[in-house]
Amino acid sequence: MSRPGRDDAPDRLYTITGGRSSTGPDSPFDLVTLVVAESEPAPGMQSEYAAILRLAEFPTAVVEIAAELKLPVSITKVLLCDLQAAGRVSARHPHRPAITDPDILEQVLVGLRNL
């Protein structure tokens, strides 16, 4: 049964990615990677690529792009790898919290409880 609003038939997904279904192990993209467009869509560009470049005008997570395009994340990652190889997008990973030491966090928690 097909879900409303989605057209993820295998033949369409195969066509979009040129037959590729996954990225290599060195792919910089995971669900929360922020994608930033480095150029405008070019005339005649595949519609999915153009849509990604428009969505990534400001930093946008991979999972958000996949949701907006109504495509599986794995297919979106393949498209993003193509755009990155062409220099059209860059990947930025979210910053880790500055405080990762559990002892410091415990001290902050104790201090808050004492208030």
Side-chain angles (χ1 to χ4, degrees):
M1 175 182 254
S2 178
R3 290 179 274 177
R6 292 203 48 155
D7 182 17
D8 53 3
D11 55 339
R12 176 177 175 263
L13 299 179
Y14 182 89
T15 303
I16 289 173
T17 61
R20 294 165 294 143
S21 61
S22 64
T23 59
D26 58 338
S27 170
F29 300 104
D30 59 20
L31 292 176
V32 296
T33 301
L34 297 175
V35 178
V36 180
E38 299 293 338
S39 68
E40 297 288 323
M45 179 181 276
Q46 183 175 321
S47 62
E48 289 80 11
Y49 291 139
I52 289 171
L53 292 175
R54 284 191 298 273
L55 288 169
E57 183 178 342
F58 299 102
T60 308
V62 171
V63 70
E64 292 178 73
I65 293 171
E68 286 292 326
L69 295 177
K70 295 180 174 64
L71 290 173
V73 173
S74 60
I75 300 301
T76 304
K77 287 180 184 180
V78 171
L79 298 174
L80 288 170
C81 284
D82 292 346
L83 288 171
Q84 185 186 36
R88 295 191 171 272
V89 297
S90 60
R92 297 181 186 168
H93 296 282
H95 297 289
R96 298 187 88 182
I99 301 174
T100 57
D101 184 12
D103 293 331
I104 293 175
L105 294 175
E106 182 67 31
Q107 290 173 5
V108 170
L109 183 60
V110 168
L112 288 172
R113 286 183 182 154
N114 289 337
L115 290 176

